[in-house]
Amino acid sequence: MDDNDSHQFVGNYLTRRILLLARNILISLIKTKARIMTEDDLHAFNENTTNENKVKKWYRQAAHRTSTRRSCALANMPYSGQDAFENENPVVNPITPDILRARANSSNSRKRDVPALPCELRVARSGGMRKNMLSESDLECFSSGCFMNGENRWNDTREWAHRIFVNRSLHLENIKFYGFDMDYTLAEYISPEYEKLGFNLVKERMVSIGYPHEIREFEYDPSFAVRGLWFDALYGNLLKVDAYGNILVCVHGFEFLKHSQVYELYPNKFLKLDESRVYVLNTLFNLPETYLLACLVDFFSNSPQYTKTLNGVKCGELFMSFKSIFQDVRNAVDWVHLQGDLKKKTVENLQQYVKKDQRLPMFLARLRESGAKTFLLTNSDYKFTDNIMTYLFDFPHGPKPEDPHRDWKTYFDTIVVDARKPLFFGEGTILRQVDTATGALRVGIHTGPLQKEHVYSGGSCDVFTELIGAKGKDVLYVGDHIFGDILRSKKICGWRTFLIIPELVRELHVWTDKCQLFEELQQLDVKLGEMYKNLDSSTKEKPDISKLRASIRDVTHKMDMSYGMMGSLFRSGSRQTFFSSQVVRYADLYAATHLNLLYYPFSYMFRAPAMLLPHESTVAHEQRFILEAPKLSVSDDFSDQPRVRHFERSQSLIPHVRPETPRSVTHNHDEDFSEDENDDKLTTILIKNGDKSD
């Protein structure tokens, strides 16, 4: 053995010894501190510790198994004792509405104190999940089962504020037209100042039509309202529901109803989405309306001069239903937007109410330089649109610092105002040209073509796409309105959709800043799994998990309250909201702002992550199952069996005896996949390869 061989032998020996020592130390730490493993888990761990990635995978699978145990245990608990359970196990450090308001309005940068768990329920932090151990998608495992092993997964390294999130795969290279809404999309209104302005104007309108002057004392509270709530006009309740109408939170005025109260009004805690009874408060313009409805219901339900009934209030011979209150508020909101002073006050104080970003001219110029066309499609009238857009592009330079200033119309190939979405995506209205000097509509129907730097009013999606020469999936439309912009454009026109959710900034801040709450919930999951260890159907004793349930409920409550009084826009505890389900269903992409497209090349392929079901997310690929042998197999050898005589093909009357295995790709997972384009590209590649081979 020469010197090199001896050195290599010694190096390999030392490496094996170090790895063995590290493995033993890790097992010792987990046994003594984490104390979360069953015997089967420990056996699986011993088998997988030869590979670092497998260790990480095992740890995530163990955490998810305990999460599943917790879900199964809680799912089988009867409802009947819920209120009694809450009374016996009050929330740690109960939070009053005043404290909630203070928390919601406090500085985001300052971390608030989190009450500690009872000593007997604490899990050693050294053995639990650490902050950086799981990604955002991994933390989702306790709620949705969309759990993926992340060792081979690519992670977007962009700042989370610059990220675009994907529900369905989309290739920007295939997008030929980029369309934009104006309000809360190109023009983002400053919150909560703009909501306060709308709230005060609607409040004054309500007083002017006969409502008590006392309601002027109400001040807009941004910590209360959240988008996506349902207003039940029958009982006057604001409801936070999941995708199927199951009630997650119920508020009457300012009173959050208990489980028993909710069950009295809504059997099975469920309400069907009935337009004659339920109004969905989906838009950012609905936030002042949401809070005013809560204020009025609370005022009339608790004022001594009014007597509360199930469906409204009485004052002497006067009866006012909650439905009539809702209709008055709805009419007042429409009046403020169409005939009131909202637009006037906005234009008079643009710096106070409208955000301005110098990246906007550069962004639109880059889109057009990439070969795509841009259009503006807004419900606002021309005068208001012109004022807002002029302010947004009011810079001394153009797209680049050395370029001269350009009028905002030059950044768009087509401009349509007064679109009246969602009607635009259906039967539509008459398409007319706007006189930009006066704002008046020209007489007659415009039949095309649509010219640059001209402005048009109304129209319909069918006429519009025909005039610009677009197909459905050629268009990516960017808007903030889940119904008017996204749902209708997706379902009727087949446009690709990009939803703007300004609240994402706040949501992601809480998601990252409050990660210790998610970690704490993971530790409680582990503790629950430990209590059910080695128990099966033969077990007669029942473990006492009441304290653990109380702790899980307390941590979940603190998670919700970190977002505000109504909790997160996307979830309530481990349940996803109705708004969240609409985002997943109708928005191909979503982000906090349209300007996040600046951080991606215009040839980018947005690839949707795999959404795993529980049987996929909790079972590792390495596990093997012994299945019963099938009676028939494609690989069976029938050489020794008597041959069955078949008809000749010419004698058979059946066109196809059996299906043939596809020889090309037939399962297309990407919505913008074009078979013709793919065939053309494949033909081109084959021709080139043929030329090279020749």
Side-chain angles (χ1 to χ4, degrees):
M1 180 183 297
D2 56 19
D3 292 341
N4 291 334
D5 292 337
S6 61
H7 291 163
Q8 183 177 0
F9 176 82
V10 172
N12 292 339
Y13 175 80
L14 291 176
T15 301
R16 288 195 299 270
R17 294 295 299 175
I18 291 172
L19 289 175
L20 181 60
L21 179 61
R23 172 182 174 275
N24 293 335
I25 292 175
L26 186 58
I27 292 176
S28 176
L29 286 174
I30 292 177
K31 283 183 177 180
T32 58
K33 293 185 177 182
R35 301 197 309 181
I36 64 171
M37 294 186 294
T38 63
E39 294 178 0
D40 293 337
D41 292 336
L42 184 58
H43 178 69
F45 178 81
N46 288 329
E47 290 182 347
N48 290 330
T49 49
T50 56
N51 183 286
E52 180 182 358
N53 289 334
K54 289 185 177 181
V55 173
K56 294 179 180 178
K57 182 188 295 185
W58 171 87
Y59 203 105
R60 283 192 293 270
Q61 291 166 357
H64 197 80
R65 283 194 295 271
T66 55
S67 172
T68 305
R69 292 167 191 151
R70 172 204 145 204
S71 301
C72 294
L74 296 182
N76 294 324
M77 292 177 183
Y79 154 74
S80 58
Q82 181 65 36
D83 289 337
F85 171 78
E86 291 184 358
N87 293 331
E88 295 173 1
N89 301 276
V91 174
V92 177
N93 293 345
I95 303 172
T96 64
D98 292 337
I99 295 177
L100 288 182
R101 293 186 178 94
R103 284 183 56 175
N105 294 326
S106 62
S107 172
N108 291 338
S109 61
R110 184 184 65 191
K111 293 193 174 183
R112 293 177 285 273
D113 294 333
V114 179
L117 290 174
C119 294
E120 62 272 16
L121 294 179
R122 292 178 188 162
V123 179
R125 193 166 291 271
S126 59
M129 295 287 185
R130 288 170 173 78
K131 176 179 179 180
N132 296 324
M133 203 164 195
L134 298 178
S135 67
E136 295 172 11
S137 299
D138 295 335
L139 286 173
E140 193 70 8
C141 69
F142 77 90
S143 62
S144 62
C146 302
F147 189 85
M148 296 183 62
N149 295 327
E151 59 268 16
N152 295 320
R153 184 180 58 196
W154 176 82
N155 290 318
D156 196 334
T157 57
R158 296 171 180 84
E159 294 182 23
W160 58 261
H162 297 159
R163 292 273 303 277
I164 293 175
F165 303 95
V166 191
N167 287 320
R168 274 165 297 281
S169 298
L170 185 150
H171 199 175
L172 288 183
E173 196 174 44
N174 296 332
I175 300 300
K176 299 178 177 63
F177 299 87
Y178 288 84
F180 297 91
D181 185 26
M182 185 184 75
D183 297 307
Y184 280 111
T185 302
L186 292 178
E188 183 180 349
Y189 298 106
I190 298 174
S191 179
E193 285 75 15
Y194 202 62
E195 286 81 27
K196 289 180 180 178
L197 173 63
F199 179 81
N200 291 333
L201 291 175
V202 176
K203 185 173 58 175
E204 289 300 323
R205 176 63 180 172
M206 296 294 289
V207 172
S208 69
I209 64 175
Y211 275 71
H213 290 74
E214 290 84 353
I215 67 172
R216 285 193 172 121
E217 297 180 21
F218 287 116
E219 296 292 336
Y220 181 73
D221 187 347
S223 70
F224 182 87
V226 67
R227 275 203 285 171
L229 301 181
W230 292 8
F231 183 76
D232 178 9
L234 181 62
Y235 296 136
N237 296 330
L238 285 169
L239 306 173
K240 190 175 184 180
V241 302
D242 67 7
Y244 312 103
N246 298 302
I247 297 171
L248 308 174
V249 180
C250 179
V251 186
H252 186 82
F254 297 152
E255 180 188 1
F256 288 77
L257 302 187
K258 294 183 178 181
H259 289 268
S260 57
Q261 295 173 300
V262 176
Y263 268 95
E264 289 177 4
L265 298 174
Y266 307 97
N268 300 318
K269 292 182 68 177
F270 170 81
L271 181 62
K272 182 180 178 181
L273 182 55
D274 182 356
E275 292 184 1
S276 64
R277 173 178 175 177
V278 174
Y279 185 80
V280 182
L281 299 152
N282 250 343
T283 76
L284 290 161
F285 283 119
N286 289 137
L287 291 178
E289 179 180 358
T290 301
Y291 189 60
L292 184 58
L293 283 168
C295 291
L296 293 176
V297 170
D298 191 78
F299 173 79
F300 289 116
S301 298
N302 295 287
S303 295
Q305 63 267 37
Y306 297 95
T307 303
K308 180 183 174 182
T309 66
L310 187 62
N311 306 120
V313 294
K314 295 184 67 175
C315 181
E317 300 298 324
L318 173 68
F319 174 74
M320 185 161 48
S321 66
F322 294 123
K323 187 171 185 177
S324 66
I325 295 174
F326 164 73
Q327 290 171 339
D328 290 339
V329 172
R330 190 90 278 285
N331 293 334
V333 170
D334 289 340
W335 187 90
V336 165
H337 280 265
L338 299 176
Q339 301 170 256
D341 292 335
L342 180 64
K343 293 179 179 178
K344 177 183 175 183
K345 290 186 178 295
T346 303
V347 172
E348 291 174 351
N349 303 276
L350 287 171
Q351 289 186 340
Q352 182 180 356
Y353 297 125
V354 183
K355 287 184 179 180
K356 188 177 180 181
D357 197 314
Q358 62 182 356
R359 296 175 296 170
L360 181 58
M362 176 181 64
F363 166 64
L364 293 174
R366 285 185 181 178
L367 277 178
R368 299 181 73 182
E369 289 171 1
S370 71
K373 294 184 177 181
T374 59
F375 64 85
L376 176 68
L377 181 67
T378 176
N379 282 356
S380 296
D381 61 83
Y382 172 70
K383 286 187 176 181
F384 183 69
T385 301
D386 185 51
N387 284 318
I388 296 294
M389 297 298 287
T390 300
Y391 172 73
L392 291 177
F393 289 85
D394 184 20
F395 299 104
H397 55 79
K400 300 178 182 178
E402 62 271 17
D403 294 340
H405 171 77
R406 288 164 46 184
D407 184 78
W408 68 269
K409 301 183 194 68
T410 63
Y411 291 91
F412 298 95
D413 293 280
T414 311
I415 301 169
V416 179
V417 298
D418 288 316
R420 295 186 64 186
K421 298 171 293 183
L423 184 64
F424 176 87
F425 297 111
E427 60 186 84
T429 57
I430 295 175
L431 179 65
R432 295 182 177 178
Q433 188 171 351
V434 178
D435 185 343
T436 56
T438 63
L441 301 180
R442 294 185 177 178
V443 178
I445 301 175
H446 186 83
T447 57
L450 302 179
Q451 300 177 6
K452 292 182 180 180
E453 299 187 39
H454 287 218
V455 181
Y456 302 91
S457 172
S460 67
C461 182
D462 291 339
V463 172
F464 178 76
T465 52
E466 182 179 352
L467 290 176
I468 66 175
K471 297 179 182 178
K473 292 183 179 181
D474 292 342
V475 180
L476 176 63
Y477 188 63
V478 187
D480 71 288
H481 195 315
I482 192 72
F483 182 76
D485 293 329
I486 303 302
L487 187 152
R488 290 296 182 180
S489 63
K490 181 82 175 172
K491 292 183 67 174
I492 298 177
C493 299
W495 290 0
R496 306 310 302 270
T497 51
F498 186 172
L499 180 65
I500 302 303
I501 310 176
E503 300 98 323
L504 263 181
V505 175
R506 168 69 177 163
E507 293 276 334
L508 287 172
H509 172 79
V510 174
W511 180 260
T512 55
D513 190 54
K514 295 296 179 183
C515 60
Q516 75 276 8
L517 293 177
F518 295 96
E519 178 184 346
E520 199 170 345
L521 192 60
Q522 291 282 354
Q523 294 169 357
L524 291 171
D525 290 340
V526 169
K527 189 71 174 178
L528 183 63
E530 181 74 14
M531 296 188 71
Y532 283 96
K533 182 178 67 174
N534 300 327
L535 302 183
D536 58 20
S537 58
S538 64
T539 305
K540 303 301 181 182
E541 63 211 22
K542 182 179 179 182
D544 182 10
I545 61 171
S546 59
K547 292 182 180 180
L548 194 59
R549 282 184 63 197
S551 296
I552 291 174
R553 184 174 58 88
D554 182 56
V555 173
T556 304
H557 173 73
K558 286 187 288 187
M559 285 167 50
D560 287 339
M561 293 304 101
S562 298
Y563 295 95
M565 293 191 195
M566 283 289 188
S568 168
L569 175 66
F570 297 101
R571 65 173 59 256
S572 181
S574 61
R575 304 274 290 281
Q576 292 185 347
T577 62
F578 176 76
F579 182 87
S580 177
S581 69
Q582 287 189 306
V583 171
V584 172
R585 185 173 182 182
Y586 298 114
D588 297 323
L589 310 176
Y590 67 97
T593 170
H594 63 283
L595 293 174
N596 284 2
L597 278 170
L598 279 170
Y599 302 98
Y600 296 81
F602 294 123
S603 60
Y604 193 81
M605 173 66 179
F606 286 103
R607 182 73 175 164
M611 304 297 287
L612 302 183
L613 292 169
H615 74 277
E616 298 169 318
S617 63
T618 58
V619 178
H621 288 291
E622 288 77 9
Q623 295 186 26
R624 294 291 182 265
F625 294 90
I626 300 176
L627 301 177
E628 293 183 4
K631 295 181 179 179
L632 290 177
S633 172
V634 294
S635 61
D636 285 343
D637 184 5
F638 297 100
S639 58
D640 296 333
Q641 298 180 12
R643 294 183 177 272
V644 180
R645 183 176 180 181
H646 296 284
F647 288 105
E648 295 293 333
R649 184 72 188 87
S650 59
Q651 299 176 355
S652 176
L653 299 178
I654 302 175
H656 302 285
V657 178
R658 62 177 62 83
E660 292 185 8
T661 302
R663 299 182 181 274
S664 61
V665 176
T666 58
H667 297 202
N668 299 322
H669 306 286
D670 300 320
E671 288 194 353
D672 59 351
F673 178 84
S674 175
E675 187 174 2
D676 295 335
E677 291 179 5
N678 189 69
D679 290 343
D680 293 341
K681 292 179 181 178
L682 182 60
T683 303
T684 303
I685 293 172
L686 292 175
I687 291 174
K688 288 181 178 179
N689 291 339
D691 292 340
K692 291 179 181 179
S693 62
D694 293 339

